[in-house]
Amino acid sequence: MEIEMLAALLMGAAALVSVGFIIFGLIDMQRMNASASDVMELQGVIRQMQMQEDGDVHAVLTLNVEEDVLHVDCTLPAPWFGKAKFRVTDLVPVLWRRGDKRAVAQETIRNGQRMFLIGLAGLTAAALMYILLG
């Protein structure tokens, strides 16, 4: 009886972690509506960088939009394993809304999709294990 209770508690903890992955994945995926008519996919050039405590990189990017050259802020996500390997003058694919002072790296959207799918798979596995052990 004790082992079953321990297994149920561990599956509940796994389900909570999976729900957290789903929530954070949805937040990252919704940072920019890529299908909006005023959102453009551009290549930004890193001009300045500053490492943040969580491993992300705060960068100032230069965007060439039609005839204009703009400088926008962008947070470049840290890789899942290791350290960020961005350098000044690197090209970064970003989503930018006309007139906005910030851009969103496409890698941020991809990371959100990965987190959402990992969370969904973890929640499904926890539910399946609960059914099999119940």
Side-chain angles (χ1 to χ4, degrees):
M1 189 67 173
E2 292 176 14
I3 195 102
E4 292 173 359
M5 182 62 127
L6 180 63
L9 286 173
L10 288 175
M11 284 184 287
L16 284 176
V17 169
S18 297
V19 168
F21 265 79
I22 290 172
I23 290 170
F24 285 117
L26 285 172
I27 289 170
D28 281 348
M29 286 191 307
Q30 296 301 317
R31 293 205 187 266
M32 181 78 64
N33 182 6
S35 64
S37 62
D38 60 343
V39 173
M40 302 172 69
E41 291 184 30
L42 302 168
Q43 294 284 330
V45 178
I46 299 175
R47 291 296 174 208
Q48 296 175 2
M49 294 176 25
Q50 182 178 6
M51 293 295 292
Q52 296 177 345
E53 291 179 8
D54 60 356
D56 292 346
V57 175
H58 174 76
V60 175
L61 303 179
T62 300
L63 301 177
N64 292 328
V65 182
E66 297 164 353
E67 299 286 326
D68 298 328
V69 176
L70 305 169
H71 298 285
V72 296
D73 292 331
C74 183
T75 300
L76 305 173
W80 288 42
F81 302 103
K83 295 178 81 175
K85 296 179 179 144
F86 296 107
R87 295 180 307 211
V88 175
T89 70
D90 280 353
L91 288 175
V92 179
V94 296
L95 296 172
W96 175 73
R97 184 182 318 277
R98 287 190 185 275
D100 203 354
K101 295 288 184 191
R102 295 191 53 82
V104 176
Q106 287 183 355
E107 190 63 28
T108 301
I109 307 294
R110 286 189 200 106
N111 284 348
Q113 292 169 339
R114 285 184 199 115
M115 286 182 69
F116 179 78
L117 291 175
I118 289 169
L120 202 58
L123 190 60
T124 303
L128 183 62
M129 291 301 293
Y130 182 77
I131 291 170
L132 291 176
L133 291 177

